[in-house]
Amino acid sequence: MPALNFQMKFVPMIVNGSKKQTIRKERKNRIKPGDKLYLNTGMRTRACSRVLTTVCTAVDLLYFTDVRGLDVAVVNNRQLSWGETEE
């Protein structure tokens, strides 16, 4: 039952479905495809509210590395092009 916190500015995009992904730091108990996700805003405050409940469909490993002085994004052991990184 992973709970994820989002800033208020992202709530409209989450609700209308245009925000379908998020980048998170690795957790002790990893989120896996099929996990039920509770998307919230204002967690750990009195203003906490549930935005949406959904199911995780995919998890990709993302990291940034330095290749010859340039920062490069790598997803699932595949280096992204500059255009893919910007997207």
Side-chain angles (χ1 to χ4, degrees):
M1 170 189 111
L4 300 174
N5 190 46
F6 289 88
Q7 297 173 12
M8 278 300 291
K9 66 182 181 182
F10 295 119
V11 171
M13 293 178 277
I14 293 169
V15 172
N16 74 24
S18 62
K19 181 167 179 57
K20 298 179 181 188
Q21 61 188 16
T22 185
I23 297 175
R24 300 291 167 145
K25 186 177 172 183
E26 192 167 356
R27 302 162 69 119
K28 187 166 121 180
N29 295 321
R30 287 186 172 178
I31 295 174
K32 301 175 291 304
D35 283 352
K36 192 173 193 178
L37 302 176
Y38 297 94
L39 311 183
N40 301 299
T41 187
M43 284 175 65
R44 297 183 178 207
T45 70
R46 277 193 243 170
C48 183
S49 65
R50 171 98 12 101
V51 175
L52 192 69
T53 302
T54 188
V55 175
C56 175
T57 58
V59 176
D60 296 317
L61 176 64
L62 165 72
Y63 66 92
F64 294 93
T65 188
D66 183 13
V67 176
R68 288 181 248 123
L70 298 171
D71 289 331
V72 189
V74 179
V75 176
N76 293 333
N77 294 321
R78 184 179 75 82
Q79 182 177 328
L80 299 182
S81 69
W82 178 252
E84 290 173 315
T85 303
E86 283 298 306
E87 185 181 312

